[in-house]
């Protein structure tokens, strides 16, 4: 009997030992990485003339694991284009402005090196309001790369004012439109400063409501910038442009939207990837951040102010196959910077991006 009891104790001890890693893995990402809710610190360049001030909210997804997924670019389909037109103009209250053949939706214009596809759908009672779709392809490394790819509503009259009510009212209107067409996109934010709005006075505008994609509870951090590339030969494929979706709401309700570079999430490539501790990420940031604007040192007013640090996904090329793309976790640092008294700020343009897995610094303008 004593032998059986001892064997039972050993089995229980072994089971408890096997359960411990599971319990540890159940910690949230914040706990695993040692990420605080708010972080405050200060750095400076070697010359002492560039200062970096951090007083930032640290935003970490409420999950406990991070996986890596393949990303597959796609084009806007005729079906979703028609659905957007029906929602915006009214069921069949629009006409096709590009083709006399009903079966031809996207017209094709071949040219070197691009082939461009697109269409315009006009409101039946107001041709100044129309929906336009455009995408172009160029052959690189034997595959079609979508150099431009977007759908949007345009209004040439303008003159919308902020009489929609509250930001919550604007979001409700925008949600009803977006989720009916793209249910895999979720609300992200409303830029309080309209920093991404060009060509209109803020007082004549309304609200710009942004949406993003979430994967396993982790946001693909939306940014208001696009990849810069110039190569036009078959030996190089540029990084994939950033997916972006926003809706504009004013006194007459929704008066515009734009969806750029839609994507679909493919297979899981890696699972339960290990991320660097937050303190180590901040060490990397502290060493690199002053250098981002140190080249402009001309006086004592060279500063970087970080007010938001976000952990999310970013789409990058696969190292072993540049024609394929994947989501990796990164830390984005948002805020403002000033050079010689001139202040620059953009709500959705990160000032520094760091790979959360290996701590390498990423230039979002080039995608790597």
């Amino acid at each position: 009997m004593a032998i059986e009891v001892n064997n039972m104790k050993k089995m229980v001890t072994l089971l408890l030992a096997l359960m411990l890693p599971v319990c540890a893995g159940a910690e949230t990402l914040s706990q695993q990485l040692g990420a605080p809710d708010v972080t405050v610190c200060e750095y400076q360049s070697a010359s002492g003339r560039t200062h970096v001030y951090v007083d930032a909210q640290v935003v970490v997804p409420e999950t406990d694991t991070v996986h890596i997924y393949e990303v597959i670019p796609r084009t806007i389909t005729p079906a979703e284009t028609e659905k957007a037109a029906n929602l915006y103009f009214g069921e069949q209250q629009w006409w096709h402005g590009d083709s006399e053949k009903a079966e031809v939706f996207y017209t094709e214009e071949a040219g070197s090196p691009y082939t461009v596809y697109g269409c315009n759908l006009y409101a039946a009672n107001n041709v100044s309001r129309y929906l336009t779709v455009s995408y172009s392809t160029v052959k690189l490394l034997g595959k079609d790369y979508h150099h431009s790819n977007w759908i949007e509503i345009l209004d040439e009259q303008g003159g919308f004012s902020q009489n929609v009510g509250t930001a919550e009212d604007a979001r409700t209107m925008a949600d009803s439109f977006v989720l009916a067409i793209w249910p895999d996109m979720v609300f992200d934010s409303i830029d309080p400063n309209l920093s991404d709005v060009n060509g209109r006075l803020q007082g004549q505008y309304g609200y710009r409501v942004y949406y993003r994609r979430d994967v396993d509870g982790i946001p693909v951090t939306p940014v208001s910038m696009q990849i810069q590339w110039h190569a036009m030969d078959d030996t190089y494929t540029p990084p994939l442009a950033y997916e972006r979706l926003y809706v504009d709401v004013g006194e007459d309700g929704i008066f515009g939207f734009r969806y750029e570079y839609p994507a679909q999430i493919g297979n899981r490539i890696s699972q339960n990837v290990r991320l660097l501790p937050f303190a180590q990420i901040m060490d990397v940031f502290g060493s690199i951040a002053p250098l981002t604007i140190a080249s402009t040192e001309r006086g004592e007013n060279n500063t970087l102010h970080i007010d938001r640090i976000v952990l999310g996904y970013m789409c990058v090329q696969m190292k072993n196959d540049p024609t394929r793309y994947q989501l990796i976790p990164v830390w984005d640092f948002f805020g403002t910077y000033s050079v010689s008294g001139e202040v620059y700020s953009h709500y959705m343009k990160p000032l520094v991006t760091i790979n959360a897995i290996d701590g390498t610094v990423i230039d979002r303008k080039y995608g790597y």
Side-chain angles (χ1 to χ4, degrees), residues 153-222:
I153 287 289
L154 296 174
D155 185 345
E156 296 177 345
Q157 291 182 334
F160 291 86
S161 61
Q162 199 167 336
N163 292 333
V164 67
T166 66
E168 289 73 20
D169 295 331
R171 177 185 169 179
T172 298
M173 293 185 206
D175 280 354
S176 65
F177 180 82
V178 168
L179 299 182
I181 312 171
W182 302 292
D184 52 341
M185 303 298 282
V186 299
F187 170 78
D188 180 77
S189 60
I190 297 177
D191 181 357
N193 300 319
L194 292 172
S195 54
D196 198 33
V197 174
N198 297 317
R200 299 176 189 260
L201 296 176
Q202 291 186 11
Q204 295 177 334
Y205 214 72
Y207 296 95
R208 177 158 285 186
V209 188
Y210 292 92
Y211 293 82
R212 67 166 192 260
R213 185 180 300 278
D214 278 4
V215 181
D216 290 341
I218 300 176
V220 181
T221 306

Side-chain angles (χ1 to χ4, degrees), residues 35-40 55-58:
D37 294 331
V38 176
T39 186
V40 180
D55 187 353
Q57 176 190 12
V58 181

